[in-house]
Amino acid sequence: MNYLAHIYLSPSNIDYQLGNLLADPLKGKAWDNCPPEFIQGMKMHKAIDKFTDKHPMVKQSKSRLGKRGYLRGVVIDVVYDYMLSNNWDSYHQLPLSQFIENFHNKAHLQIQTYPNKPRQFTSKVIQHKALLAYGSLEGLLLTFQRIDKRLSDRIKAKESMQDYINIVLEQLESIEKDFNTFFPELINFSEQNR
């Protein structure tokens, strides 16, 4: 799962949501005296990733992109956020734009107390409106391009996110079926493990 899902799967506590969002960029390491809810959010992120990686529907979605490829998991994470955006009304009572605006407003205030790295990363997510980008195919493609810019030269020599665009578009309907089976189970898992 990617940014939007990690925030969605958190309780309505900004430190928890930010911990869940920032676990990967911070490599699972919090700073001294960070809020305990932030650490809980980081732990939830790890649990979500573990559950997701083992789930048969996620494995099936990855297989739809081919038998091999280092980035297949990253592609599915992003595409699943696209699916969440486009099925948002089935999962949340607030409109997506309002949910994201609420998160941006709270996060902007909260990160003023955070160290530089988590503050900068969160500021970029807000500034680039990354959470809103998942709502359209154009935004999905822009997200793929942004990720490609961060890939190492070693990975770029083998593949890129954009290499998957055509097959994602071909398989979108099937991946959506996988997602709609998987995501309610992930919601139940995250609620039981908070």
Side-chain angles (χ1 to χ4, degrees):
M1 302 308 299
N2 212 40
Y3 301 159
L4 181 61
H6 279 290
I7 295 165
Y8 167 83
L9 293 165
S10 300
S12 186
N13 175 290
I14 193 60
D15 285 315
Y16 194 111
Q17 290 173 328
L18 287 165
N20 207 337
L21 171 69
L22 294 167
D24 283 343
L26 297 180
K27 297 181 174 28
K29 295 179 181 163
W31 59 94
D32 291 340
N33 302 316
C34 81
E37 295 85 1
F38 187 92
I39 294 170
Q40 291 171 342
M42 291 182 102
K43 288 178 181 175
M44 177 54 75
H45 182 107
K46 187 175 180 180
I48 288 168
D49 284 357
K50 190 173 181 181
F51 179 87
T52 300
D53 290 343
K54 291 182 176 181
H55 199 281
M57 287 293 106
V58 177
K59 289 180 180 179
Q60 182 169 288
S61 289
K62 288 180 190 176
S63 74
R64 296 183 192 285
L65 303 180
K67 294 185 179 186
R68 306 174 93 198
Y70 175 77
L71 295 173
R72 289 181 313 150
V74 180
V75 170
I76 292 301
D77 282 350
V78 173
V79 172
Y80 274 17
D81 260 12
Y82 169 80
M83 297 300 171
L84 176 56
S85 290
N86 285 282
N87 293 282
W88 184 263
D89 294 343
S90 300
Y91 296 108
H92 206 285
Q93 69 276 9
L94 279 181
L96 178 59
S97 58
Q98 188 177 347
F99 177 87
I100 292 171
E101 184 180 343
N102 290 348
F103 172 75
H104 283 178
N105 291 338
K106 291 176 188 174
H108 178 73
L109 292 173
Q110 191 61 20
I111 61 172
Q112 304 312 314
T113 65
Y114 285 12
N116 194 41
K117 186 172 182 177
R119 187 173 61 246
Q120 283 185 340
F121 185 90
T122 307
S123 292
K124 284 182 183 176
V125 168
I126 294 168
Q127 177 187 355
H128 293 299
K129 298 182 178 166
L131 302 175
L132 285 169
Y134 300 117
S136 68
L137 283 174
E138 295 79 14
L140 184 65
L141 301 181
L142 280 171
T143 302
F144 280 20
Q145 290 169 0
R146 279 195 193 113
I147 293 170
D148 278 344
K149 289 178 185 174
R150 296 193 315 255
L151 295 176
S152 70
D153 290 338
R154 182 180 58 81
I155 294 171
K156 283 183 200 173
K158 296 177 185 175
E159 64 181 329
S160 73
M161 294 288 288
Q162 292 182 75
D163 293 340
Y164 288 91
I165 290 170
N166 289 335
I167 194 162
V168 164
L169 295 176
E170 289 169 15
Q171 295 292 328
L172 210 51
E173 193 174 311
S174 298
I175 294 170
E176 185 167 18
K177 288 177 185 171
D178 298 342
F179 172 81
N180 286 329
T181 300
F182 160 72
F183 198 64
E185 294 180 27
L186 179 59
I187 292 169
N188 289 336
F189 171 81
S190 64
E191 287 173 351
Q192 291 170 7
N193 288 278
R194 284 182 183 164

